[in-house]
Amino acid sequence: LKKILELDPFDSYTHLALCRLQSRKERGNSGGIHVNKRYSKWSDSDLNGMEITQSLVIEIEPFSAARDAFFEGTQKCPTSIHLWQAWALHEESQGNLPFARRLFQQALSLDEINPYVCHGYGLLEHRCGNFNTAQELWERPLKSDKKGKSSAALVCSLGKLLVSKGKLLEARTLYLQHVSKIKSEREVSEVYLAAAWLEEKHFTNMDKAEELLNLVLKKSPGNSRAMVALARLEGRKVDTEKSNKNVSHKNDVVRRRDKAVKKKLEDACRELIKGKSQLIHDKTEKSEVLDGRLFNALADMEVKEKNYNAARNILKKGMELFPNDHTLPQAAGKVEERVGNFTAARDWYSASLLLAPSSPTLVAYALIELRHPIENKRNYTKVARLFDEALLLDPRHGPVYNAYGNMELKRGNIERARQIYQNGVSAHCKDLASVYHGLAMLELSLGNVETARLVLIKGLKEVKINDGMMDNNRRKRSLFLTHTLGVLELNSNRAAQAKAVFESGLERHGDSSQLLLGAALSELKLGNEDAARTLFERSVKVDRKHAQAWQSWGVMEMRAGNYKVAKTLFECGLKNDPRHGALWQAYATMESRLGNFEIARTLFAAGVTKCPDHVPLYQAWACLEVRGENNEKAKTLISEALTRDKSEGSGWLVAAKIEEKLGNKGLMAMILRRGLQCSPNSPEIYNALADYEIRRGKIDLARELLQNGIEVDPLHAPLYHSLAELEARVFNIKGLSELNKRAAEIFRTNALESPPVSMNLLATQLRKSAQSNKKIPNNITGLTQMNFVEHIDVGEDIDMDPDAIIENMNHFDDDSVTQILLESVDLPDDRNT
């Protein structure tokens, strides 16, 4: 490029190519978009109208080769509006907003209604919250009578802004007025898609939305985006149908919705294959609207149903029709990765990259190298290079930042991980949800609960602003931000706030089984059992295979004494998901408490067979055998549990109880001390060992153990009870008074109040978890160790017999938090958007 400029120093296109190359290199070297903390001394008002000179450019720090190249290019080609706009976008990506504004203004001085400059400048102001300024910039070219000033980007951005302001009729008029002024087949379809989403989402006019999508197909036969949108619309129609009370797992809302979408996609694929000669081979140029998106969407549904051969066949047909669509071999790689054919997956990813380098494919390749390295030797340098290349191709691809930051977090490079996530936030990624979620999980893993909460709130606000209009996968991915924030509020003992978060999510995303479960648990925490019951019922009607919803509902009924109802719920849950260990555990425990020991044994045995890795099942079964004096059987079961997971504190408690029953008190103490080594954050073990020391008369040692236990888990009420009894026994009035004051501060009884102390204690627990693991927990390890309803029973007196241990284990499955947070982490790919 420099050689070309030596031959012709006034070639604006070569200058632009060189500048863009320099800009990409700088972003790549800094892990994406880089946010400078030092700019020039100039403010917006200072720069307004100021001439852009070399001395002004030098003022801006740090040095930028791209900036020098842009300055050189604009000096040689001062009338090149493309150079000025590209320079403005570069400075915006570096966080230098005042100078970026000045450059946009310079570009507009050449053409005040240039649609590309007005759109880029408007986006900058929109991201800064200057919505009126953004609206004025976007309206400029659209109000012009000149041809070629309307674009889909302008129309859709302005329409989205009008919707966010509640001006729905204005948005509708805008779409209909300007769609006829746009010539590009692809852009016309984008405007119609936006108009269809407006009709469906905000006017609840499904028929009009369908009419608009069919209009796209009439004007643009075979348009893959329109066909996928029509299929998804067909699925959402299911949500508006009246639900049948006698719904089986085969025709609940989720299954009926998926069935409707799948049928529509299958019909569209057949039509496309049938009419391929007219739609594809008659095209003299590469089509903007014909691609393999339809086959990707259908294959993705087959993968979710684990029909891998069907997915392979669908993608094969797609590749026959669209041999140059790089997303199809990428999808084929995903299928092979799912079934464990990692060599084949690498081959498909390589084939995709040969057709067209893309960020999603590079991320997929990086992740397979990270998760399934050749010869089990991870090459972090290679993986980082793949992520960097993905950012060079698309610096606003959110999943790159998420995956890259997560890798650095797992390696313990905290500051590097945080910088990557913050770069993604500053880049204003197309998929903001994944970036904000990654940053929040990093802060949670460090125990920065309030920071994580603020990140999630900001993320939800940004997603609502930027993805409020279109039906796309990025919008769907935003749902797990709501999951995470709601769960965090619950675990911070903020049930009223959690309820508000889940309700807001339901209003935005419609009936989601996971959000309904979160809302139900919030109502339960607030003491509203009837409201919780209604929400549990809605949750399982939406998704009959949502095991956590069945389990949580069943446990609530069991605790309320409604055993027949609980039994029915557990059986329904197991019928729909027989491999959910916590359901077997809760059902068997209930039968045990009712005295139906043989039924309980049968259920435990069936659960262990179906879910051999669910450790709490072994522990609960062992407790049952302890009560029945079958100590050898109990020993065998608890040994199996501890072999599978030594970090489970409950297992050591049960093992110690067995030895105590056998009269081996010394061995019992040895087991408890060993349990503390393997599970240092288990408050129950501190309590049990302190009780043993009290019986031996070792008061000071017992006090120390109880105080250490409270430091480990300040929210564990039984520790306070035991310490209070100890202090009362030795007439320590001052100690009792101090303990009572601390307990009153922590355990608030009003769930409607905001408990900052509880949030701080949650943060402390997360930090201790990280320290005990010797490294930062993977993503949300710390958070998932907190139980959804741990705080509901915070005032109850709990003894240390096996029944009590299992009751604590069975309030709700510890995995329920993990599931609600992560059920949507297997995100839909951008290729289906």
Side-chain angles (χ1 to χ4, degrees):
L1 292 173
K2 289 179 178 179
K3 286 286 186 184
I4 295 172
L5 289 175
E6 288 177 7
L7 296 171
D8 184 359
F10 301 99
D11 182 356
S12 62
Y13 295 105
T14 304
H15 275 294
L16 184 60
L18 179 60
C19 292
R20 284 177 170 169
L21 178 62
Q22 293 283 15
S23 180
R24 282 186 177 182
K25 284 173 66 177
E26 287 183 8
R27 288 198 301 264
N29 291 336
S30 62
I33 303 295
H34 183 66
V35 184
N36 295 321
K37 295 184 179 178
R38 296 184 297 159
Y39 309 124
S40 69
K41 63 183 180 182
W42 313 108
S43 64
D44 282 322
S45 57
D46 293 329
L47 287 170
N48 190 24
M50 183 180 286
E51 185 180 355
I52 299 170
T53 62
Q54 189 163 15
S55 60
L56 174 63
V57 171
I58 292 172
E59 287 281 342
I60 303 170
E61 297 181 355
F63 170 79
S64 165
R67 186 179 298 120
D68 275 7
F70 276 119
F71 178 74
E72 179 68 21
T74 52
Q75 289 298 298
K76 297 292 185 184
C77 312
T79 59
S80 172
I81 199 166
H82 301 295
L83 270 170
W84 290 108
Q85 184 205 15
W87 191 0
L89 293 172
H90 169 76
E91 295 298 343
E92 182 189 355
S93 76
Q94 300 298 294
N96 195 354
L97 302 187
F99 193 47
R101 284 190 177 94
R102 177 65 190 91
L103 293 167
F104 276 126
Q105 290 163 7
Q106 183 67 29
L108 288 176
S109 70
L110 299 172
D111 180 0
E112 65 178 1
I113 57 172
N114 183 281
Y116 303 105
V117 178
C118 287
H119 184 248
Y121 195 180
L123 286 177
L124 183 153
E125 296 298 351
H126 187 268
R127 289 162 186 155
C128 294
N130 303 323
F131 302 125
N132 290 334
T133 305
Q135 182 173 342
E136 188 274 327
L137 284 163
W138 289 334
E139 285 176 342
R140 273 192 208 178
L142 295 178
K143 288 179 178 178
S144 170
D145 294 329
K146 294 183 179 180
K147 290 184 178 180
K149 296 300 181 180
S150 293
S151 71
L154 277 171
V155 174
C156 292
S157 294
L158 181 56
K160 184 165 62 176
L161 180 57
L162 291 172
V163 169
S164 69
K165 290 183 173 184
K167 299 178 179 180
L168 304 181
L169 292 173
E170 287 187 36
R172 176 191 268 173
T173 303
L174 174 78
Y175 292 138
L176 296 179
Q177 278 183 348
H178 287 279
V179 71
S180 59
K181 298 179 182 180
I182 299 171
K183 301 303 179 185
S184 165
E185 194 176 2
R186 175 186 58 81
E187 291 193 32
V188 167
S189 68
E190 287 178 6
V191 176
Y192 274 124
L193 285 164
W197 181 244
L198 174 67
E199 294 295 336
E200 178 193 344
K201 181 67 178 176
H202 298 282
F203 291 105
T204 61
N205 191 340
M206 293 280 197
D207 293 336
K208 182 64 176 178
E210 187 173 6
E211 178 187 329
L212 288 167
L213 292 174
N214 281 317
L215 193 57
V216 177
L217 291 175
K218 185 178 179 181
K219 292 179 176 292
S220 178
N223 188 303
S224 59
R225 285 192 66 188
M227 288 191 286
V228 171
L230 270 170
R232 289 176 176 166
L233 177 64
E234 196 71 24
R236 288 191 295 275
K237 285 182 180 178
V238 171
D239 297 343
T240 63
E241 297 173 1
K242 291 184 179 180
S243 60
N244 182 355
K245 290 186 177 181
N246 301 315
V247 180
S248 71
H249 74 280
K250 291 183 179 179
N251 61 351
D252 61 20
V253 175
V254 170
R255 247 53 63 181
R256 286 185 291 127
R257 185 192 298 151
D258 288 348
K259 185 178 179 181
V261 174
K262 188 175 179 180
K263 184 179 185 305
K264 195 76 173 178
L265 289 172
E266 287 173 338
D267 291 344
C269 284
R270 276 194 293 269
E271 287 298 316
L272 197 57
I273 293 169
K274 190 176 178 181
K276 65 180 180 179
S277 57
Q278 289 77 22
L279 292 175
I280 299 172
H281 297 297
D282 289 350
K283 294 278 183 180
T284 56
E285 297 179 0
K286 183 179 178 181
S287 171
E288 290 184 307
V289 298
L290 296 178
D291 56 38
R293 193 186 313 259
L294 198 63
F295 294 88
N296 269 327
L298 182 55
D300 186 56
M301 297 198 74
E302 295 290 3
V303 167
K304 287 178 181 176
E305 295 174 11
K306 299 184 179 180
N307 301 327
Y308 300 114
N309 284 331
R312 286 189 182 106
N313 291 332
I314 290 165
L315 292 170
K316 182 180 177 182
K317 290 176 183 177
M319 283 184 268
E320 289 173 358
L321 279 175
F322 305 102
N324 295 319
D325 187 341
H326 69 279
T327 67
L328 291 166
Q330 180 204 339
K334 287 278 188 182
V335 174
E336 298 304 331
E337 192 173 346
R338 282 289 185 95
V339 298
N341 297 335
F342 304 121
T343 301
R346 283 183 173 86
D347 291 342
W348 280 118
Y349 292 147
S350 296
S352 174
L353 291 170
L354 284 172
L355 288 172
S358 72
S359 289
T361 309
L362 285 166
V363 172
Y365 208 129
L367 289 176
I368 199 172
E369 292 294 337
L370 198 59
R371 295 167 180 166
H372 309 288
I374 297 171
E375 297 180 356
N376 292 321
K377 294 180 181 179
R378 286 189 179 88
N379 186 340
Y380 289 108
T381 303
K382 179 180 179 180
V383 174
R385 190 177 73 247
L386 289 166
F387 285 138
D388 287 335
E389 288 178 9
L391 288 173
L392 277 173
L393 286 171
D394 185 357
R396 289 192 165 89
H397 186 60
V400 185
Y401 295 96
N402 192 300
Y404 200 172
N406 191 39
M407 180 189 78
E408 296 295 353
L409 176 61
K410 287 181 178 179
R411 297 179 68 192
N413 301 331
I414 307 304
E415 289 309 314
R416 172 63 175 158
R418 183 182 279 115
Q419 184 61 61
I420 289 169
Y421 287 129
Q422 289 173 344
N423 288 348
V425 170
S426 301
H428 303 289
C429 291
K430 292 171 285 188
D431 179 12
L432 283 166
S434 62
V435 180
Y436 275 104
H437 190 266
L439 181 57
M441 293 303 97
L442 180 146
E443 298 298 347
L444 272 177
S445 69
L446 297 174
N448 302 330
V449 175
E450 183 60 21
T451 303
R453 181 173 164 272
L454 293 174
V455 167
L456 291 167
I457 291 171
K458 184 181 178 184
L460 283 170
K461 182 181 178 182
E462 290 289 326
V463 166
K464 188 175 181 180
I465 291 172
N466 290 285
D467 283 337
M469 273 294 297
M470 300 299 291
D471 168 29
N472 57 35
N473 285 321
R474 294 194 300 274
R475 185 175 175 278
K476 293 175 184 176
R477 284 197 283 264
S478 71
L479 187 144
F480 63 75
L481 282 179
T482 306
H483 284 170
T484 309
L485 180 58
V487 171
L488 179 58
E489 297 289 23
L490 267 180
N491 280 303
S492 298
N493 206 26
R494 296 160 56 97
Q497 289 85 344
K499 176 186 173 184
V501 170
F502 288 122
E503 287 177 344
S504 174
L506 288 166
E507 183 180 349
R508 175 167 165 73
H509 296 282
D511 275 357
S512 157
S513 187
Q514 292 78 21
L515 291 178
L516 286 165
L517 172 58
L521 292 170
S522 302
E523 293 286 9
L524 185 59
K525 177 71 184 296
L526 292 166
N528 305 327
E529 280 195 10
D530 289 339
R533 189 172 285 113
T534 300
L535 288 163
F536 281 133
E537 184 176 5
R538 285 176 60 191
S539 179
V540 297
K541 279 185 177 179
V542 171
D543 185 358
R544 305 289 286 189
K545 291 191 175 183
H546 192 185
Q548 289 80 20
W550 291 110
Q551 181 211 358
S552 303
W553 188 6
V555 170
M556 184 190 80
E557 299 295 356
M558 177 178 70
R559 290 166 60 79
N562 303 325
Y563 297 114
K564 287 185 178 179
V565 175
K567 178 179 180 180
T568 301
L569 293 170
F570 290 142
E571 288 177 349
C572 285
L574 289 170
K575 181 180 179 181
N576 288 286
D577 187 356
R579 299 192 179 278
H580 191 266
L583 268 170
W584 289 104
Q585 180 189 351
Y587 190 6
T589 301
M590 184 185 76
E591 293 293 353
S592 172
R593 293 202 196 123
L594 293 173
N596 303 324
F597 301 120
E598 289 306 316
I599 294 175
R601 284 189 178 93
T602 301
L603 289 168
F604 279 128
V608 166
T609 302
K610 293 284 188 181
C611 317
D613 294 323
H614 191 75
V615 172
L617 270 171
Y618 297 92
Q619 297 170 351
W621 191 359
C623 286
L624 172 64
E625 299 302 343
V626 169
R627 287 200 304 276
E629 303 294 334
N630 301 320
N631 294 318
E632 290 305 316
K633 177 66 173 176
K635 273 189 174 185
T636 301
L637 289 165
I638 206 61
S639 295
E640 185 69 29
L642 290 172
T643 299
R644 292 174 183 272
D645 188 355
K646 290 182 174 61
S647 67
E648 279 276 356
S650 301
W652 296 102
L653 285 170
V654 177
K657 193 67 181 180
I658 294 170
E659 297 303 334
E660 183 184 21
K661 282 213 165 192
L662 293 173
N664 303 326
K665 293 187 178 180
L667 183 55
M668 179 198 77
M670 287 177 60
I671 289 172
L672 288 173
R673 292 190 181 100
R674 174 62 175 158
L676 269 186
Q677 292 176 351
C678 296
S679 182
N681 294 321
S682 172
E684 295 88 355
I685 299 181
Y686 283 99
N687 209 357
L689 194 51
D691 181 62
Y692 169 75
E693 297 298 348
I694 289 171
R695 280 182 273 157
R696 293 175 61 210
K698 305 288 185 180
I699 301 299
D700 291 339
L701 181 55
R703 182 185 288 115
E704 182 182 355
L705 283 165
L706 291 169
Q707 290 173 342
N708 289 341
I710 288 173
E711 289 301 316
V712 165
D713 187 352
L715 295 172
H716 191 69
L719 287 167
Y720 292 84
H721 301 157
S722 298
L723 185 54
E725 288 178 1
L726 183 149
E727 300 298 5
R729 179 178 294 188
V730 297
F731 303 102
N732 184 357
I733 306 301
K734 183 180 178 181
L736 271 173
S737 176
E738 291 176 353
L739 183 65
N740 182 61
K741 182 179 177 181
R742 181 175 182 182
E745 186 180 32
I746 293 171
F747 301 121
R748 296 196 181 198
T749 56
N750 188 354
L752 297 174
E753 293 181 13
S754 174
V757 175
S758 294
M759 182 168 283
N760 291 337
L761 293 176
L762 174 59
T764 301
Q765 283 185 273
L766 294 175
R767 291 190 189 101
K768 286 183 179 292
S769 173
Q771 291 165 6
S772 67
N773 289 335
K774 306 298 183 185
K775 61 179 181 178
I776 301 303
N778 295 346
N779 280 341
I780 55 167
T781 298
L783 180 62
T784 57
Q785 289 172 353
M786 300 297 294
N787 193 288
F788 244 135
V789 285
E790 183 175 347
H791 312 298
I792 292 177
D793 308 308
V794 86
E796 295 183 4
D797 188 13
I798 302 175
D799 60 23
M800 286 311 301
D801 72 30
D803 270 346
I805 295 168
I806 298 307
E807 183 174 3
N808 284 332
M809 288 159 47
N810 269 288
H811 286 330
F812 290 101
D813 178 25
D814 288 337
D815 291 338
S816 61
V817 180
T818 311
Q819 291 299 323
I820 287 185
L821 285 175
L822 295 183
E823 276 177 351
S824 56
V825 167
D826 187 13
L827 306 177
D829 294 322
D830 284 334
R831 63 178 182 272
N832 295 335
T833 301

